[in-house]
Structures are given as structure tokens and as C-alpha cells.
Amino acid sequence: MTTFDEREQGFERKFAHDQEIEFKATARRNRLLGEWAAGLMGLATVEEYARAVVKSDFEQPGDEDVLRKVFEDLKGSGVSTTEGEVRMKMQELLAVAREQIKAGE
């Protein structure tokens, strides 16, 4: 195997690893977002709602399906919030999730 092939395989392994970490961070962010929203709505079934938010991410590519679910649920339960506030919370929690994963939590 040539040095070029070894480098190429190394880059491919790093890319796959980075993608796996990002997938885990996104799933954790969605769980944290669900827990946050459940707290705002005063739900007793926080874990159940958090799982529903995680599952909603598989409806469409991207974050819009998660944003739509959480925003609509918050609005439907009478919580006064904007789509922008939910989007900012998603960004904040993604950073938290990435740090948690890096720390091995």
C-alpha cells in the first residue's frame, strides 16, 4: 500500500468518525431540547417527550422538523416563545451536546 493510499484511508476514517460524533451530538441536542421544552410546558413525562423530539428528527433531513415540532408544541401549550428563540436554544444545546460528548459523558 502506498503512502497516498494510507493517507486517503486515514482521512476517510477521520471523516467517518467526525460524522458519527456529529450524529450523536445532534441526537443529544434533540433530547436536551425536548427536556427543555417539556419543562416549559410543565409536562410530567419529560423523558417521553424528549424521545418524541429525537424521533421527529428522522422525518426530514435537517433540523426544520425538530424546530417545527418543538415550536408548535410550545405554542399549542400556551408557552409564549418565537421560532427564533427555539432556534437559538437549539444552537446553544448543540454546543452543550458537543462538549458533553468530547468530555465522554
Side-chain angles (χ1 to χ4, degrees):
M1 184 176 292
T2 66
T3 303
F4 180 77
D5 291 335
E6 290 170 357
R7 286 186 61 195
E8 183 179 23
Q9 286 181 353
F11 284 126
E12 288 174 358
R13 282 192 299 272
K14 182 179 179 342
F15 178 79
H17 178 263
D18 290 348
Q19 291 299 305
E20 180 182 350
I21 296 297
E22 194 60 22
F23 176 79
K24 288 178 180 179
T26 300
R28 184 171 297 203
R29 185 261 336 251
N30 292 343
R31 182 179 53 81
L32 293 170
L33 183 68
E35 291 171 357
W36 170 77
L40 289 178
M41 292 185 284
L43 299 179
T45 56
V46 173
E47 286 301 316
E48 185 178 316
Y49 183 75
R51 278 192 299 275
V53 172
V54 171
K55 287 180 184 177
S56 74
D57 192 24
F58 299 111
E59 292 174 10
Q60 296 176 337
D63 293 334
E64 295 303 310
D65 45 357
V66 174
L67 174 69
R68 185 175 41 257
K69 175 181 182 30
V70 172
F71 178 66
E72 293 298 323
D73 290 348
L74 287 170
K75 193 168 69 171
S77 69
V79 175
S80 177
T81 190
T82 66
E83 213 174 283
E85 290 171 337
V86 175
R87 193 176 300 276
M88 284 182 8
K89 192 64 171 180
M90 288 174 73
Q91 291 173 345
E92 174 188 324
L93 292 174
L94 183 58
V96 169
R98 285 178 179 144
E99 287 302 315
Q100 288 177 350
I101 289 172
K102 284 180 186 176
E105 295 178 26

